């Protein structure tokens, strides 16, 4: 299996985990648009949204809804941008939902995404812990 996100799901590639649920894993994007940018993936491999089994749609989007709340509650963001690329502009062909913390005046415009970096693993862990601690439990 050469899918990097499957390797993160099975634990053979490290990631800074934010959401750890039976059918969904959420972890920090290594090239965040803003710090606290989370990627949510179904644990099973599907390439794109049309490939997702229907019963997993509310599970994945429910996790996205709760993570969108958690970046506000945990990081002090005003809101979020929630999106996914399917095939076009999709650099990792394992379905993933981007949850990007947003604050008015943060400079994000249109579909050109600037990227930032964590200064250290410790800083990434701190962002992950703050979002994770603010995450509501699944229903
Ligand atoms: P997209 O371009 O929509 O397919 O987004 C893929 C994202 O995945 C991109 O923002 C960078 C992120 N990414 C790529 N490789 C890795 C990785 O190995 N670990 C983590 N945490 N994120 C990755």
């Amino acid at each position: 299996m050469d899918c990097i996100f499957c390797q993160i799901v099975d634990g053979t590639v490290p990631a800074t985990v934010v959401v750890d649920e039976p059918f969904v894993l959420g972890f920090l994007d290594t090239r965040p648009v803003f710090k606290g940018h989370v990627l949510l993936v179904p644990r099973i491999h599907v390439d794109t949204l049309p490939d997702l089994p229907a019963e997993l749609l509310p599970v994945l989007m429910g996790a996205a809804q709760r993570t969108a709340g958690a970046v506000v509650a945990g990081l002090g963001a005003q809101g979020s941008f929630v999106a996914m690329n399917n095939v076009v502009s999709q650099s990792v062909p394992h379905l993933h939902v981007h949850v990007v913390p947003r604050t008015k005046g943060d400079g994000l415009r249109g579909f050109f995404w600037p990227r930032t970096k964590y200064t250290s693993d410790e800083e990434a862990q701190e962002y992950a812990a703050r979002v994770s601690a603010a995450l509501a439990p699944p229903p």
Side-chain angles (χ1 to χ4, degrees):
M1 174 63 78
D2 59 3
C3 169
I4 188 73
F5 288 175
C6 283
Q7 291 174 305
I8 289 174
V9 167
D10 72 22
T12 55
V13 165
T16 307
V17 172
V18 175
V19 179
D20 189 354
E21 296 178 358
F23 298 101
V24 175
L25 189 73
F27 48 89
L28 295 183
D29 191 307
T30 48
R31 296 179 59 236
V33 175
F34 298 116
K35 291 174 183 178
H37 176 168
V38 176
L39 300 174
L40 294 162
V41 303
R43 287 183 180 273
I44 61 162
H45 181 96
V46 295
D47 284 8
T48 65
L49 184 60
D51 304 314
L52 186 69
E55 63 273 19
L56 288 182
L57 182 63
V59 178
L60 180 63
M61 293 315 293
Q65 182 186 40
R66 288 180 291 106
T67 303
V71 297
V72 171
L75 301 179
Q78 289 176 345
S80 60
F81 176 63
V82 177
M84 62 190 91
N85 291 310
N86 292 285
V87 181
V88 177
S89 297
Q90 182 180 9
S91 58
V92 180
H94 181 136
L95 174 63
H96 48 281
V97 182
H98 296 262
V99 180
V100 180
R102 293 292 318 272
T103 294
K104 206 168 174 200
D106 62 18
L108 188 61
R109 292 189 201 290
F111 288 94
F112 176 72
W113 291 11
R115 300 294 184 145
T116 186
K117 283 186 173 160
Y118 295 98
T119 52
S120 63
D121 286 348
E122 290 71 27
E123 188 190 37
Q125 291 287 353
E126 187 216 329
Y127 272 82
R130 285 164 61 192
V131 177
S132 204
L135 192 70

